[in-house]
């Protein structure tokens, strides 16, 4: 039941654009959801997309604008006059409008705001612009339904009808005092089931979750997830109700946060998408490659320093890739579980019990791998002492990698650095170097070189 | 403003438990949110947690049950009689109750259901049990507010008051025909702003998103995210309205999906958490370690086969770790971007444009790394031809790794295998082996061995 962009539709649209059949374009697109139209525009080139954009109504285009990919939105905005942009913004909710304005240059921003027809709306948007975009203030919208604790249900419903005119979805009905300080919320259910003469003060729910304008976005996400909230009110320093955040904006925060961890784990230092430019992609990827290179140069020194022993026992060197890959894998597994534990709160800090468990898991895996390796080496090369040296080194390296994989993310977390770094190339390459050192160290000891 | 479990609180509770001060326990906990109480219980041992659980009211404990960590929930359930479990389920929404029942053994399940007081509720729950847990049917709840298209606003409000008694949150008001077939939805705003005599058929919104009972959960998540929905109705094969899915359950699906990708990328084959048992953790981690080991044994053959050349030019071998680490990193970066592109829909299938971009990015990174390496090698070892061979191999390996990193996830996706596997040990170790092969191949060519 989900809409999919078809090649035929794109062709049809392109023909209509060439022939300037505005009516047919409207007919084709008018029934579609704005998110679907955005998907279509993303498939067209900039000129075609802009053409369609101008054909459609501004109540539709405003919503489309929000869903477009960054480069297309930027391109379309650059072709619109401040007055045209202002018309789009008049149609949008305050937080979405503020996001769009945030992408404009300083001078156009001022012009656009001065062109907006709805002055109250413009004021609300300007108000939102002063908050940090990663704070509750930066996420919140101004659209909400609030009632005074001193009203009765009838006044309340009357007032709500007026307020609801400007609000697309009624999430919660907030209760404030005469100073606009947040006191609680009114349940829609209670409103539907209570007599109209009841005083709001008697039926509102006093306990409710709220955040401050400067609460961090990830903190807001955690609170909304934990308490299963669909909207959360935002108060200022004086406890006055200034806005609300809805779950759909938080879903984006949650997803971005998970994507960021995933990208860090893959050795990508900043948020990129597959349609970003070559320059952006390279900038996001090169740093870890270079850091990895520097760390691995240390590995080359270690190997150079051990040339004697692997000239003597040549099978030692051929297992170096196996050893470092295993160390890398164990380290990444260990740290990924710590990173996720920290993210979802099941792990808070270093605990001996957890560490013991991790070491046990690694010991089991390490022993199995070492035994298999010992068997394989004995059969293939019949140098039992060397095989023994390799197996023992393997266990040592695995335990070391597990320890590093567990402790590094905990250390990073304690020092307020994103622990997901530790699931990336950093931990693999570091394990490589230490792994190779330990390997030859243990081998020398056992083989008595 | 978020609640945090303090050591003092835990101590206080433990004292009250020892002294059986049930009253004090209630006083301490009664004002807390059920999610917070669950957090507290998770900090206590099983006996203490069960004690508190029995002290609290069943309307509270039912919600707490949902928030507990798996092992504690399992433990508490095992200590409750079927009748006690039934009391908890009577308090829960149908989909949550079905989730809890799903964790019980077959025989206890039947007993619990027969003990439930609310027969309608029990029927709804039993109905939900037959759906696959990863489908819309498995996610949906039965609680919803629906009105008939033939009613007027007044009847509608009256009926809604009755229905709302059993629904904790009114998300949407669905409109059905006499056969219970989903026709559309009614906006709360319209309801607040329309005259009471208006016919529902005249004001309801005909276009609305819905899913079928067998739509996959990740598909539901994508639709709800794309269209910014807070709830979505679920219909059966005949188009009849059978339930609704709310965004808070979808947030879990989105998070689980992201976590799964992250874990696959870290070489963990099944969903585990830091508090899982040693056995579960080992089972989730050992497979990739073993696969990695087998692949790396191939690498040992390649090295063995090239012993001649690295005995001749010993610096070749010491750069093997650098080379394989770089190949691994490039491969993982390339595939992570493809995996995320596939997940968020910016990338749909193989496109020449995207592939060209990836190769360009890798060429730039590869050239920079190779030049640095050439300079470093020339200064350190003064064997210019060997240095040249290493640098050229490096570029070849990087291009190969980028190609593999791009194509493998696309191939997996096309064959309905989770492409996130390709960001894990699989791609790193495979790149290792091919990287080492190419490295010596190119080196032999250049050095003429």
């Amino acid at each position: 039941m989900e809409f999919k962009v078809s090649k035929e539709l794109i062709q049809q649209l392109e023909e209509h654009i060439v022939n300037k059949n505005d009516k047919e374009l409207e007919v084709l697109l008018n029934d579609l959801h704005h998110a679907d139209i955005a998907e279509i525009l993303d498939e067209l080139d900039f000129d075609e997309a802009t053409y369609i954009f101008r054909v459609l109504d501004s109540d539709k285009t405003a919503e489309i604008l929000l869903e477009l990919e960054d480069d297309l939105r930027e391109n379309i905005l650059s072709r619109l006059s401040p007055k045209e942009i202002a018309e789009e913004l008049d149609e949008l909710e305050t937080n979405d409008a503020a996001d769009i304005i945030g992408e404009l240059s300083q001078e156009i921003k001022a012009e656009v705001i001065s062109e907006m027809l709805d002055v109250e709306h413009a004021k609300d948007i300007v108000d939102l612009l002063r908050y940090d975009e990663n704070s509750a203030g930066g996420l919140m919208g101004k659209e909400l339904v609030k009632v005074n604790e001193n009203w009765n249900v009838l006044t309340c419903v009357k007032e709500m009808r007026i307020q609801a005119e400007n609000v697309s979805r009624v999430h919660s009905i907030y209760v404030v005092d005469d100073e606009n300080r947040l006191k609680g919320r009114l349940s829609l259910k209670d409103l539907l089931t209570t007599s109209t003469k009841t005083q709001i003060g008697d039926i509102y729910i006093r306990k409710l979750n709220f955040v401050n304008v400067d609460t961090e976005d990830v903190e807001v996400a955690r609170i909304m997830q934990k308490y299963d909230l669909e909207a959360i009110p935002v108060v200022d320093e004086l406890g006055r109700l200034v806005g609300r955040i809805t779950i759909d904006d938080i879903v984006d925060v949650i997803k971005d946060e998970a994507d960021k961890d995933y990208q860090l784990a893959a050795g990508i230092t900043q948020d990129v998408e597959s349609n970003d430019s070559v320059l952006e992609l390279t900038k996001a990827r090169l740093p870890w490659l270079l850091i990895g290179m520097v760390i691995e140069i240390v590995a080359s020194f270690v190997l150079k320093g051990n040339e004697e022993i692997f000239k003597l026992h040549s099978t030692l060197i051929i297992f170096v890739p196996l050893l470092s890959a295993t160390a890398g894998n164990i380290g990444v597994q260990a740290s990924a579980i710590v990173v996720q534990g920290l993210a979802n709160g099941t792990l808070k800090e270093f605990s001996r019990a957890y560490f013991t468990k991790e070491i046990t898991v690694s010991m089991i895996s390490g022993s199995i791998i070492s035994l298999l390796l010992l068997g394989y080496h004995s059969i293939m090369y019949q140098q039992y002492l060397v095989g023994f040296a390799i197996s023992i080194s393997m266990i040592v390296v695995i335990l070391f990698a597990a320890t590093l994989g567990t402790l590094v993310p905990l250390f990073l977390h304690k020092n307020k650095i994103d622990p997901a770094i530790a699931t990336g190339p950093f931990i693999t390459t570091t394990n490589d170097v230490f792994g190779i050192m330990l390997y030859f160290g243990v081998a020398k000891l056992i083989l008595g070189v």
Side-chain angles (χ1 to χ4, degrees), chain A:
Chain A
M1 73 130 274
E2 199 199 345
F3 167 85
K4 294 250 186 283
V5 185
S6 69
K7 284 219 174 90
E8 294 73 45
L9 179 63
I10 296 287
Q11 263 176 1
Q12 256 183 303
L13 290 170
E14 284 176 335
E15 273 170 38
H16 287 318
I17 292 171
V18 171
N19 303 321
K20 300 211 191 320
N21 295 334
D22 296 0
K23 268 259 138 26
E24 281 81 354
L25 283 173
E26 274 189 86
V27 170
L28 269 176
L29 297 172
N30 248 347
D31 266 358
L32 294 178
H33 190 281
H34 53 83
D36 296 323
I37 302 181
E39 232 176 83
I40 295 172
L41 297 191
D42 282 326
E43 298 281 315
L44 299 171
D45 68 33
F46 290 159
D47 289 324
E48 292 170 339
T50 313
Y51 187 90
I52 290 186
F53 197 83
R54 288 190 194 267
V55 168
L56 298 173
D57 283 343
S58 69
D59 60 333
K60 202 140 209 171
T61 50
E63 297 287 340
I64 294 172
L65 211 48
L66 289 177
E67 307 278 340
L68 290 177
E69 280 166 22
D70 296 355
D71 51 348
L72 179 56
R73 179 169 54 242
E74 200 183 308
N75 199 294
I76 288 184
L77 284 175
S78 73
R79 295 170 186 218
L80 298 181
S81 67
K83 193 166 165 7
E84 283 173 306
I85 299 178
E87 277 168 26
E88 305 290 336
L89 299 186
D90 273 324
E91 300 287 340
L92 286 176
E93 290 207 351
T94 46
N95 51 333
D96 294 331
D99 287 347
I100 300 272
I101 286 201
E103 292 179 17
L104 301 174
S105 70
Q106 209 56 44
E107 45 185 20
I108 296 184
K109 200 183 284 186
E111 270 189 77
V112 168
I113 292 168
S114 70
E115 291 281 359
M116 286 182 68
L117 293 178
D118 185 340
V119 181
E120 279 309 308
H121 191 56
K123 270 189 206 160
D124 282 343
I125 296 168
V126 170
D127 185 35
L128 290 180
L129 287 176
R130 69 188 170 89
Y131 297 106
D132 180 75
E133 62 171 324
N134 298 319
S135 72
L139 277 173
M140 73 183 182
K142 289 285 187 179
E143 292 81 2
L144 50 83
V145 175
K146 64 181 175 188
V147 297
N148 192 301
E149 56 176 344
N150 302 316
W151 296 348
N152 64 22
V153 169
L154 189 69
T155 326
C156 176
V157 170
K158 236 170 52 192
E159 289 288 336
M160 278 170 57
R161 284 183 182 226
I162 300 168
Q163 294 181 23
E165 286 290 346
N166 300 311
V167 175
S168 65
R169 294 184 210 168
V170 181
H171 289 93
S172 281
I173 305 152
Y174 299 114
V175 180
V176 294
D177 65 11
D178 293 334
E179 304 295 326
N180 194 31
R181 280 184 299 237
L182 182 65
K183 305 293 283 184
R185 69 180 176 87
L186 200 59
S187 104
L188 270 174
K189 193 176 132 185
D190 288 345
L191 201 72
L192 283 172
T193 53
T194 314
S195 129
T196 50
K197 284 166 211 129
T198 317
Q199 205 63 18
I200 296 301
D202 294 334
I203 55 165
Y204 79 81
I205 299 156
R206 273 163 182 81
K207 271 200 83 66
L208 98 165
N209 288 283
F210 61 90
V211 289
N212 290 305
V213 283
D214 52 2
T215 305
E216 257 187 278
D217 55 358
V218 286
E219 173 79 5
V220 178
R222 257 180 349 102
I223 294 173
M224 290 189 75
Q225 261 187 288
K226 177 172 176 186
Y227 300 121
D228 277 348
L229 307 175
E230 279 157 21
I232 195 166
V234 184
V235 301
D236 68 6
E237 293 75 2
L238 298 172
R240 291 177 304 192
L241 178 62
V242 290
R244 56 90 192 106
I245 297 169
T246 55
I247 187 73
D248 53 311
D249 291 320
I250 285 301
V251 169
D252 296 338
V253 173
I254 294 171
K255 235 188 141 316
D256 285 354
E257 204 54 21
D259 284 356
K260 215 181 67 190
D261 278 0
Y262 182 67
Q263 294 202 333
L264 270 180
I268 300 169
T269 55
Q270 44 173 288
D271 195 27
V272 285
E273 299 228 9
S274 57
N275 49 13
D276 281 349
S277 73
V278 167
L279 186 69
E280 283 169 306
L281 285 169
T282 310
K283 256 172 40 192
R285 292 165 55 169
L286 196 54
W288 274 126
L289 295 176
L290 291 176
I291 293 172
M293 174 178 158
V294 171
I295 301 178
E296 293 292 346
I297 281 187
V298 179
S300 75
F301 279 117
V302 178
L303 288 182
K304 188 88 192 151
N306 286 285
E307 250 174 320
E308 283 312 304
I309 180 164
F310 65 72
K311 273 185 179 152
L312 226 58
H313 304 285
S314 71
T315 57
L316 277 181
I317 191 86
I318 69 173
F319 286 109
V320 164
L322 166 57
L323 181 109
S324 43
T326 310
N329 289 346
I330 288 262
V332 167
Q333 288 180 337
S335 56
I337 291 174
V338 173
V339 169
Q340 288 211 315
L342 290 170
N344 61 32
T346 52
L347 203 69
K348 267 145 207 143
E349 55 196 350
F350 177 81
S351 87
R352 189 170 304 182
Y354 179 70
F355 186 67
T356 312
K357 186 158 74 178
E358 174 55 36
I359 294 300
T360 315
V361 171
S362 315
M363 269 298 269
I364 298 173
S365 308
S367 307
I368 295 173
I369 291 175
S370 294
L371 279 174
L372 289 173
L373 196 58
L374 181 61
Y376 170 80
H377 190 274
S378 305
I379 295 165
M380 282 295 290
Y381 302 98
Q382 275 114 29
Q383 303 158 319
Y384 302 104
L385 197 61
V386 177
F388 183 64
I390 293 175
S391 296
I392 293 296
S393 318
M394 187 58 115
I395 292 190
V396 175
V397 169
I398 284 176
L399 285 183
F400 176 80
T403 306
L404 207 67
T406 309
L407 298 186
V408 169
L410 287 170
F411 172 81
L412 293 174
H413 177 71
K414 205 169 174 183
N415 290 282
K416 314 252 178 244
I417 303 168
D418 192 334
I421 295 176
T423 42
F426 173 64
I427 200 98
T428 9
T429 44
T430 312
N431 271 330
D432 249 27
V433 177
F434 284 111
I436 295 172
M437 279 181 185
L438 285 170
Y439 179 64
F440 285 110
V442 174
K444 272 182 191 165
L445 223 71
I446 292 175
L447 300 171
V449 181

